[in-house]
């Protein structure tokens, strides 16, 4: 009976080792897939940020080009003055005249 028990335990140990090896392979494969997924997410975020920044720079460029059009007509000074309001003028004190 002891020989049967030892053969049984040896086969159990072999099957456990086989299962552990398979688990290690599966875990490694899962970790690799997870890393690939994380890299893809980072690449997508970077592409999105790059796209947004290029859209912003296009808006800035189009605004700059529109102001150049005004310069050609000499209206640039008018556009600047739209935003600037000088302070109100002070009223002069009148001198009293002696009669």
């Amino acid at each position: 009976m002891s020989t049967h028990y030892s053969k049984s335990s040896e086969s159990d140990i072999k099957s456990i080792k086989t299962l552990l090896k398979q688990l290690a392979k599966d875990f490694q494969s899962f970790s690799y897939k997870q890393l690939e997924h994380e890299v893809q997410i980072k690449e997508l975020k970077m592409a999105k940020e790059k796209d947004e920044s290029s859209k912003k720079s296009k808006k800035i460029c189009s605004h700059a080009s529109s102001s150049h059009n005004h310069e050609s007509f000499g209206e640039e000074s008018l556009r600047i003055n739209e935003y600037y309001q000088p302070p109100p003028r002070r009223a002069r004190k009148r001198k009293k005249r002696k009669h």
Side-chain angles (χ1 to χ4, degrees):
M1 198 158 160
S2 64
T3 59
H4 182 276
Y5 179 74
S6 64
K7 286 183 181 179
S8 170
S9 64
E10 284 179 28
S11 67
D12 287 344
I13 291 173
K14 284 183 182 179
S15 63
I16 290 172
K17 285 182 178 180
T18 305
L19 285 173
L20 286 174
K21 286 180 182 177
Q22 186 61 41
L23 272 172
K25 286 181 183 178
D26 290 346
F27 182 75
Q28 188 177 18
S29 173
F30 176 76
S31 296
Y32 181 73
K33 287 179 182 178
Q34 185 177 6
L35 285 173
E36 281 183 328
H37 183 70
E38 289 174 2
V39 167
Q40 288 175 346
I41 289 173
K42 286 182 182 179
E43 288 174 348
L44 287 172
K45 285 182 180 179
M46 288 172 50
K48 183 179 178 182
E49 289 173 1
K50 185 178 179 182
D51 185 44
E52 288 175 355
S53 67
S54 69
K55 284 181 182 178
K56 287 180 183 178
S57 67
K58 285 181 182 178
K59 286 182 182 179
I60 292 169
C61 290
S62 66
H63 180 70
S65 65
S66 66
S67 68
H68 289 298
N69 291 340
H70 291 290
E71 285 179 41
S72 64
F73 295 109
E75 297 176 3
E76 185 64 27
S77 60
L78 293 175
R79 291 187 69 233
I80 291 172
N81 290 333
E82 288 176 354
Y83 302 104
Y84 175 73
Q85 292 183 349
R89 301 181 95 188
R90 289 184 173 181
R92 286 184 153 180
K93 291 184 180 178
R94 295 187 181 204
K95 293 183 179 180
K96 293 183 181 177
R97 289 188 181 177
K98 293 183 180 178
H99 289 253

